[in-house]
Amino acid sequence: DVLGSRGLGDVYKRQALVFMPWVLPEVVVGSLWRWLLNGEKGLINSVLVDYWHVLPEHIQFFSSSLSLISVCMVYIWRTYPYVTIMLSAGMQGIDRGLYEAASIDGCGKIKQFRYVTLPGLKYVLSICSLMAMIWTMNGFGIINILTAGGPGVSSTTLPMVIYKTCLLYTSDAAD
């Protein structure tokens, strides 16, 4: 097995591999996903064409209808390690006795999740949501590499508007 299944060192290797998207620079992440989602020679395109028999002209990850979804997918991939660690830490902070009490009161797994887990993770989820919004607002590099805000303005965000506006006014002022 590639990741290994024995020993403490293997656990650390698995954790490092899972945490990798979080520590990679935006340029690397953007370039990696630009290659993976490439319509002509990308890995995902090849898998869809070769194994699922999807016609290549139907796979346009950077079209105006799919570009924002593609960018969101990359951001989710990039931030899931952080969210996973935060939720894992939050879950450890929930008293097991609350689950036992809910079970005695007749709550099933869904009600335990709704009335014990979610309230216990309220602050963690709030912090994760706030951080995701901040990172998205700062997320210029990945969008610039993947789509440059296009086609048209289909994946343009506030940092892209600021960049394009500053570039436009700076080049006008230089003339």
Side-chain angles (χ1 to χ4, degrees):
D1 142 295
V2 175
L3 298 175
S5 59
R6 301 175 194 229
L8 193 57
D10 293 333
V11 171
Y12 291 138
K13 289 176 190 173
R14 259 186 250 124
Q15 288 176 346
L17 189 61
V18 167
F19 203 62
M20 193 60 65
W22 178 247
V23 297
L24 289 174
E26 281 192 351
V27 173
V28 174
V29 171
S31 300
L32 171 72
W33 280 97
R34 180 87 183 153
W35 170 72
L36 287 171
L37 297 174
N38 186 310
E40 294 176 12
K41 42 191 179 242
L43 181 64
I44 294 174
N45 185 37
S46 299
V47 168
L48 290 174
V49 170
D50 295 342
Y51 297 106
W52 287 9
H53 308 293
V54 177
L55 296 175
E57 55 269 10
H58 293 151
I59 307 169
Q60 300 296 326
F61 292 110
F62 300 119
S63 65
S64 59
S65 60
L66 290 179
S67 62
L68 190 57
I69 293 170
S70 299
V71 168
C72 288
M73 182 179 68
V74 172
Y75 272 105
I76 290 169
W77 178 81
R78 180 167 167 80
T79 58
Y80 88 85
Y82 172 79
V83 174
T84 302
I85 288 173
M86 293 292 288
L87 290 177
S88 176
M91 289 291 292
Q92 291 174 2
I94 299 174
D95 184 14
R96 297 288 156 219
L98 294 173
Y99 290 105
E100 292 173 20
S103 179
I104 291 171
D105 288 341
C107 289
K109 295 293 182 187
I110 294 174
K111 285 190 176 182
Q112 286 180 16
F113 178 76
R114 181 173 179 203
Y115 294 112
V116 177
T117 306
L118 282 180
L121 294 176
K122 175 175 50 175
Y123 297 113
V124 174
L125 290 170
S126 298
I127 294 296
C128 286
S129 299
L130 179 66
M131 295 304 290
M133 284 188 279
I134 291 170
W135 292 324
T136 301
M137 293 305 291
N138 288 332
F140 171 78
I142 292 174
I143 295 175
N144 193 39
I145 292 170
L146 284 176
T147 65
V153 293
S154 63
S155 62
T156 299
T157 58
L158 184 60
M160 290 300 299
V161 170
I162 293 169
Y163 171 74
K164 289 179 179 181
T165 302
C166 290
L167 188 66
L168 177 70
Y169 286 129
T170 308
S171 58
D172 285 348
D175 292 338

